[in-house]
Amino acid sequence: MAALVVLVGLVPVSASATDEYCGITWGSGVKSGPQDMGGNLVGLRAGRGDCYDTLVFDVQEPVGGYWVSYVDEVFEDPTGAPVPLRGGAKLVVTVYASAFDESGRPTYSYANRAELLDVTGFPTFRQMAWAGSFEGTTSVGLGVRARLPFRVFTLPGRVVVDVAHFW
């Protein structure tokens, strides 16, 4: 004799309800690396991936530390003037590398301090603006679509910031 089993009220769970977006588990809290001073900042680059947008600080060796955090307002160092940014959230990205050599000559220069890189069409990034280079640290304001998870890590000659497209 066969038994008939009826399941009532079961709702299938979609993969997106149980899995993190692209496996991302980074969070949105402050990220920092050793406060060691590094070489000089020599370039900035940005890119888009399937799961996150990337900002890369190219630094002459040695690569120093970093401090990255969501903030209500980004301020220019050393003046304290607010740095206007587009987007629903603002990240301040500080790397322990100067944009000037020992003689005071720039090792990194930009055409427009309010638009360091063209991020038109990026899923997450909205704007990158110069926030200053003072006493061995360089800061950039990063306007993003929303307060999203991010990670920061170093590679030889680079400090890398990835910001997820979604939670």
Side-chain angles (χ1 to χ4, degrees), residues 100-159:
F100 301 94
D101 67 16
E102 298 79 26
S103 300
R105 292 182 301 255
T107 58
Y108 172 76
S109 57
Y110 45 81
N112 181 349
R113 70 184 299 121
E115 302 288 341
L116 294 177
L117 299 170
D118 182 5
V119 292
T120 304
F122 278 53
T124 296
F125 291 169
R126 296 296 181 258
Q127 182 183 5
M128 279 173 245
W130 189 252
S133 188
F134 186 67
E135 294 185 349
T137 64
T138 298
S139 296
V140 168
L142 180 57
V144 296
R145 182 175 53 76
R147 187 179 176 123
L148 294 162
F150 70 96
R151 70 178 174 183
V152 186
F153 58 95
T154 61
L155 295 170
R158 297 179 183 92
V159 176

